[in-house]
Amino acid sequence: MADQLLDQVRDVVDGQIDFEGQKLAEVLATAVLSIVGAVSFLVGFFLQDIALALKIGLGGTALTFLLVVPPWPFFNRHPLKWLPVGGEPAVTSAQQNIVIDEKVLGK
């Protein structure tokens, strides 16, 4: 039963994001945390309430977590096309023909 629940959680959480999505997540996290930090500081300063400033900051951090951590579909708009796995062995330098001044050098 626990294995089934764990598999369901993995299916939900284990998502793929592309490189552009990683960049977007980083920009979103930086922007949201910066804005929330500034708003939190200003509200705390003008109202002279450190508890309210901390609550705003923690709420903004939770909002940023919900925006950035789950693999939302907009983080995977540009998926990469990976090359298929081939069963051919790698080409070694002994198998290559090197051409210098129209002369083939090879073993």
Side-chain angles (χ1 to χ4, degrees):
M1 170 127 169
D3 290 335
Q4 293 173 349
L5 181 62
L6 187 59
D7 288 339
Q8 290 175 351
V9 170
R10 278 192 197 132
D11 289 341
V12 170
V13 176
D14 187 31
Q16 299 294 323
I17 65 172
D18 56 26
F19 294 117
E20 293 296 323
Q22 291 176 1
K23 182 178 177 182
L24 177 62
E26 181 181 355
V27 169
L28 272 175
T30 303
V32 172
L33 286 174
S34 298
I35 292 169
V36 167
V39 168
S40 174
F41 173 77
L42 291 173
V43 167
F45 181 77
F46 286 117
L47 297 179
Q48 293 295 302
D49 189 358
I50 189 74
L52 181 60
L54 288 173
K55 289 175 185 175
I56 293 171
L58 289 173
T61 303
L63 174 69
T64 304
F65 180 84
L66 290 175
L67 275 174
V68 175
V69 172
W72 299 110
F74 60 87
F75 288 139
N76 198 18
R77 288 186 185 166
H78 309 284
L80 293 177
K81 304 290 186 212
W82 296 99
L83 294 175
V85 176
E88 299 176 13
V91 176
T92 63
S93 60
Q95 296 171 332
Q96 295 177 355
N97 291 325
I98 301 172
V99 178
I100 298 177
D101 293 330
E102 298 178 10
K103 294 180 183 177
V104 177
L105 301 175
K107 293 184 179 182

